Amino acid sequence: MGLFDFMRSDKKKEQAEKAAQKAAEQVQQQAAAAPAPPSAMPGDTGTKYTDAAAATKAAAERMAAAAPPKAAPAPPVARPAPHTPTPASAAHKAVPAAPMPKPAPKAQRTYTVRSGDSLSAIARRELGNEGRWRELYAMNKGVIGSNPDMIHPGMKLNLPS
């Protein structure tokens, strides 16, 4: 924000203050020109609002007295931190570590290439979609080599699941 922006914002503030003062003067003039309602006495306007505030306060106090008392919040329960054995602690030396179970190896499906096979024919027959030949090639690129058209009978190919 530059120097001129501050000057513009100050001018806008001044204009807003002038407009507010002018509006306040108009309200005072209209209030002075309007006749007072017959139920209001000249000095009675302040007490009418004071009585309403006092009545509201009294109603709030009655409601608070009638409400059941709130229970004090329970103090937080202190729980001991769990002990993690360290290599130097006695607990670590006394209890041997449980062996981790090895995940069961997945049974990998394989296919042995026959004479006249192509990757698309194998994909159609074994995977149900000849468009999956690219997936079959990607899994077996090490066996097949750089040319997917050069597969030979006897090659063992892994099939995707």
Side-chain angles (χ1 to χ4, degrees):
M1 189 179 261
L3 177 65
F4 295 111
D5 294 332
F6 280 116
M7 294 172 63
R8 285 185 201 142
S9 65
D10 287 343
K11 286 182 182 178
K12 288 181 181 178
K13 287 179 186 176
E14 289 174 9
Q15 290 173 352
E17 288 173 3
K18 286 180 184 178
Q21 287 176 351
K22 189 180 277 189
E25 289 173 3
Q26 289 176 353
V27 168
Q28 288 176 351
Q29 289 173 357
Q30 289 175 355
S39 63
M41 296 290 198
D44 196 27
T45 58
T47 57
K48 180 168 66 172
Y49 295 114
T50 306
D51 291 340
T56 304
K57 186 176 180 181
E61 289 173 355
R62 284 193 308 272
M63 289 172 62
K70 291 183 179 179
V77 177
R79 295 182 183 163
H83 175 69
T84 305
T86 61
S89 69
H92 185 270
K93 293 174 185 172
V95 180
M100 295 297 291
K102 293 182 180 178
K106 288 185 177 179
Q108 183 72 34
R109 288 179 36 199
T110 60
Y111 177 81
T112 305
V113 178
R114 295 181 281 185
S115 179
D117 276 343
S118 67
L119 289 179
S120 60
I122 296 168
R124 181 180 344 106
R125 192 169 40 249
E126 298 296 323
L127 305 176
N129 182 357
E130 70 180 37
R132 291 183 68 187
W133 73 267
R134 288 180 181 87
E135 184 180 353
L136 186 62
Y137 174 63
M139 283 187 72
N140 297 288
K141 197 169 188 176
V143 176
I144 298 170
S146 62
N147 187 355
D149 291 329
M150 296 296 293
I151 59 172
H152 304 289
M155 284 183 172
K156 292 210 181 271
L157 305 178
N158 292 321
L159 299 175
S161 51

